[in-house]
Amino acid sequence: MELDSLYQEVILDHYKHPLHKKLLPSYTAQVHHVNPSCGDEITLNVSIQDGLVENVSWDGVGCSISQASTSIASDLMMGKTLDQALLIVEAFSKLMSSKGNEKGDEDVLEDGVALAGVSKFPARIKCALLGWMAFKDAALQSGKN
Ligand code: ZN
């Protein structure tokens, strides 16, 4: 798999120094998501109060794409309103279904655009989506509580 070298660096940096990769003891919802086709696995905690994403923390194992992507997603969601966060997840899902034809909006996705090239590789899209789908799942569960 070949990605733009600058983007590759962003991904490797998140992989080596993942953000928020330490489960916080207090949360409003916790989910565990796996991507069996690759062996990626994450547990993700969210803390959402009054429609605001106060905290996202996670732990997991897996390939560099899945771990970097979860690091990027967790950092991006922090401090957003739940509505904003869900729109960002939607924008990222759309990017991942673009088959390499979209670059992504950096104002919305920030480091997430580094994963745009992954959309050309169907086998890896689930790796890239894992953390985002886990967040969405947790966020929606949290809203029900
Ligand atoms: Zn993977």
Side-chain angles (χ1 to χ4, degrees):
M1 185 167 81
E2 284 193 23
L3 297 175
D4 181 287
S5 61
L6 172 71
Y7 281 174
Q8 203 134 12
E9 229 165 272
V10 173
I11 293 167
L12 269 181
D13 195 48
H14 274 281
Y15 179 56
K16 287 182 189 156
H17 310 285
L19 303 170
H20 319 299
K21 190 176 177 182
K22 185 177 192 297
L23 288 171
L24 295 176
S26 80
Y27 51 83
T28 52
Q30 178 175 69
V31 296
H32 184 72
H33 278 214
V34 295
N35 172 24
S37 60
C38 182
D40 309 319
E41 213 170 308
I42 60 166
T43 300
L44 184 138
N45 290 352
V46 298
S47 189
I48 297 178
Q49 302 286 353
D50 303 324
L52 189 74
V53 182
E54 290 190 335
N55 247 311
V56 183
S57 62
W58 63 284
D59 199 6
V61 291
C63 68
S64 57
I65 299 285
S66 69
Q67 303 297 296
S69 189
T70 305
S71 169
I72 292 168
S74 62
D75 198 49
L76 200 51
M77 300 311 168
M78 204 87 86
K80 300 284 193 300
T81 66
L82 179 56
D83 290 345
Q84 278 173 327
L86 292 175
L87 283 175
I88 295 169
V89 171
E90 211 170 293
F92 187 76
S93 305
K94 194 166 158 272
L95 180 62
M96 284 302 108
S97 61
S98 73
K99 300 185 169 73
N101 295 318
E102 281 180 38
K103 291 186 176 349
D105 184 346
E106 199 168 354
D107 290 339
V108 176
L109 296 172
E110 299 181 15
D111 280 357
V113 297
L115 293 153
V118 175
S119 68
K120 283 182 280 189
F121 304 91
R124 309 306 302 278
I125 292 172
K126 278 188 185 162
C127 302
L129 280 173
L130 186 67
W132 305 70
M133 292 301 117
F135 170 80
K136 185 180 176 182
D137 186 16
L140 294 176
Q141 284 188 33
S142 192
K144 282 183 208 134
N145 294 336

